[in-house]
Amino acid sequence: MKTIKGPAIFLAQFAGDEPPFDSLGAIARWAAGHGYEGVQIPSWDARLFDLAKAAESKDYCDEVKGTLAEAGVELTELSTHLQGQLVAVHPAYDEAFEGFAAPEVRGNPKARQEWAVDQLMKAARASANLGLGAHVTFSGALAWPYVYPWPQRPAGLIETAFDELARRWRPILDAFDEAGVDLCYEIHPGEDLFDGATFEMFLERVGNHPRCNILYDPSHFVLQQLDYLGFIDVYHQRIRMFHVKDAEFNPSPRQGVYSGYQPWIDRAGRFRSLGDGQIDFGGIFSKLTQYGFEGWAVLEWECCIKHPEQGAAEGADFIRSHIIRVTEKAFDDFAGSGTDQAANRRMLGIG
C-alpha cells in the first residue's frame, strides 16, 4: 500500500485575468496559502504555462518547477482536456468546440484535429521534461450523439466510431510511451470514454496499450448512477490519476439522469463543493489506498452554489483529512506468538 499524495488543486477553474489568478507564481502562492501541496496545470492557459516552450526547453521546465518550489508547491501533472477533446469531434459539435482551438485552425476540422494531435505530442515531451509520470486528457467523441439507442443504431456504427477513435489515439499513446508517461483519460459524459464499458472497448482497440489509463473522478459516475466504488475494484490497475470532486443525484417525479435540459442549479445531478454532496470519499480513499494508488489527490472544484474561493479554502483540509497514512504493521501484532515451523506442523497434526 501507498500513502496518497496531496492535497493538490487543478488550476483550470481558478485561472483568470485578475491577481492572484493571472500568473503561475501568484496562483501557486495562493494555492499554498490555502494548504495545497501540489498544483495541476491546464496546458492551454497561456497566463500560466507555455506548452510549446515546455516541449522543447528543459531550462523553461526548470523555471516552472522553480517558480512552484518558491511558492511551496509541486507540479502534479499537466492537463490537455480541451486539446484532447479536439482529437475526435463529431460534426454536430464542430461549432460548439471551435473555441477550444487555436484561432488559425478554426473553421477547418482537419487542421483543427492536426493541431490537437500536435498539442498532445507536445504534452508528452513537456511531461517528460518536467519529470512527470502521468498526464490527463479527454478522448473526444465520434459516437456520443448516438448514446441513446433511438433511432435504432445501424449495425457497426459504434464499432466503426471506436475503431477510428483508436486509430487516432494510438500514435499519441506511443509518443507517451516513448516519453515514459501514462496518458490518463478522464472518464466523462460527452466523451466516447464515459464509463467502464466504453473504456474497455477503446482499450481493446489500442491493444491494451500500457499507457492507456484512467483519471478517476467519482462525480461523473454519480451523475450517471454508476457504482463508483466498484469501479475502483474493477479498474484499479488502470487508475493512475484522481480528481477529488463531489456531486449529488436527487431524482424527482419531473427528472432523472438526463435532467430535462435544466440549468445546473435545477438539475437532479449536480456537482458540489467537497463535503456538500453525496460521495463516500472515505470509501474511495480506503479503496485507492488498499490497491496501492500512489498518485495525487487533486481537487477539481465545480459547484453551482458555493463560491470558488470558499470551495478552495475548504478543499485542502477536506482532502488532508481523508488521506490515509498506511500502516506498517498488523493491528494484531501484539498477540503474535512468533514463528516456529516445527510448532506449526504439530498444530496441523502433520508431525
Side-chain angles (χ1 to χ4, degrees):
M1 295 187 296
K2 305 283 187 180
T3 297
I4 295 171
K5 293 181 285 189
I9 186 169
F10 186 29
L11 299 178
Q13 284 85 0
F14 299 95
D17 293 327
E18 299 295 329
F21 307 110
D22 58 345
S23 71
L24 184 60
I27 200 170
R29 290 189 293 274
W30 167 83
H34 280 309
Y36 293 98
E37 298 177 11
V39 295
Q40 188 178 92
I41 293 180
S43 68
W44 62 85
D45 198 318
R47 293 168 296 196
L48 307 183
F49 189 74
D50 187 326
L51 179 60
K53 190 179 290 186
E56 302 302 329
S57 172
K58 289 189 176 182
D59 287 341
Y60 172 73
C61 291
D62 289 341
E63 290 176 16
V64 168
K65 291 190 289 185
T67 296
L68 297 179
E70 284 182 16
V73 295
E74 296 180 48
L75 176 57
T76 66
E77 301 95 3
L78 298 177
S79 154
T80 54
H81 283 88
L82 302 192
Q83 302 99 309
Q85 183 77 64
L86 302 182
V87 171
V89 179
H90 188 280
Y93 296 102
D94 269 339
E95 190 165 345
F97 287 139
E98 280 287 85
F100 290 2
E104 63 270 19
V105 299
R106 292 174 188 170
N108 184 335
K110 182 176 184 295
R112 184 186 62 204
Q113 182 196 337
E114 291 171 351
W115 173 84
V117 170
D118 181 65
Q119 288 279 293
L120 267 294
M121 296 298 192
K122 285 183 170 68
R125 297 196 301 272
S127 294
N129 286 342
L130 288 160
L132 302 174
H135 179 84
V136 58
T137 195
F138 276 152
S139 69
L142 299 173
W144 180 253
Y146 310 104
V147 66
Y148 195 79
W150 181 259
Q152 187 181 61
R153 292 188 291 254
L157 179 72
I158 301 304
E159 290 74 12
T160 301
F162 273 81
D163 288 347
E164 175 63 17
L165 191 70
R167 186 191 68 80
R168 296 185 188 188
W169 277 103
R170 183 61 191 254
I172 300 171
L173 285 162
D174 288 343
F176 273 86
D177 193 30
E178 184 177 342
V181 180
D182 289 325
L183 184 56
C184 302
Y185 295 96
E186 181 166 356
I187 307 301
H188 188 291
E191 312 306 315
D192 278 345
L193 310 190
F194 64 87
D195 60 9
T198 51
F199 177 76
E200 289 178 22
M201 291 166 64
F202 179 75
L203 182 63
E204 179 183 6
R205 285 168 169 80
V206 295
N208 292 305
H209 202 291
R211 297 298 178 179
C212 180
N213 290 291
I214 292 170
L215 177 141
Y216 174 79
D217 181 338
S219 67
H220 302 298
F221 298 157
V222 167
L223 269 58
Q224 296 182 69
Q225 290 297 279
L226 185 152
D227 178 0
Y228 59 85
L229 291 175
F231 186 95
I232 300 173
D233 291 325
V234 176
Y235 299 107
H236 60 89
Q237 291 180 325
R238 293 279 176 174
I239 295 173
R240 304 293 171 83
M241 291 177 64
F242 175 26
H243 271 177
V244 190
K245 189 169 80 173
D246 212 343
E248 63 185 358
F249 184 71
N250 301 302
S252 75
R254 298 181 63 240
Q255 59 169 271
V257 169
Y258 303 113
S259 289
Y261 297 111
Q262 298 305 296
W264 278 110
I265 193 69
D266 296 323
R267 293 177 69 86
R270 309 190 295 187
F271 300 127
R272 299 297 308 275
S273 279
L274 285 184
D276 295 344
Q278 299 169 344
I279 291 179
D280 176 9
F281 284 104
I284 289 171
F285 276 82
S286 292
K287 281 188 178 290
L288 288 175
T289 302
Q290 169 190 342
Y291 288 120
F293 176 76
E294 55 186 352
W296 287 84
V298 180
L299 168 71
E300 184 183 21
W301 177 88
E302 291 182 356
C303 185
C304 55
I305 297 175
K306 184 171 284 184
H307 192 281
E309 285 269 22
Q310 184 181 357
E314 296 170 349
D317 286 342
F318 183 93
I319 292 173
R320 188 172 283 110
S321 71
H322 282 82
I323 291 176
I324 299 169
R325 179 184 173 188
V326 298
T327 183
E328 288 139 10
K329 60 181 183 178
F331 63 86
D332 55 357
D333 279 353
F334 74 94
S337 57
T339 301
D340 183 333
Q341 184 62 19
N344 289 344
R345 295 181 66 83
R346 288 194 300 273
M347 290 174 68
L348 294 169
I350 55 179

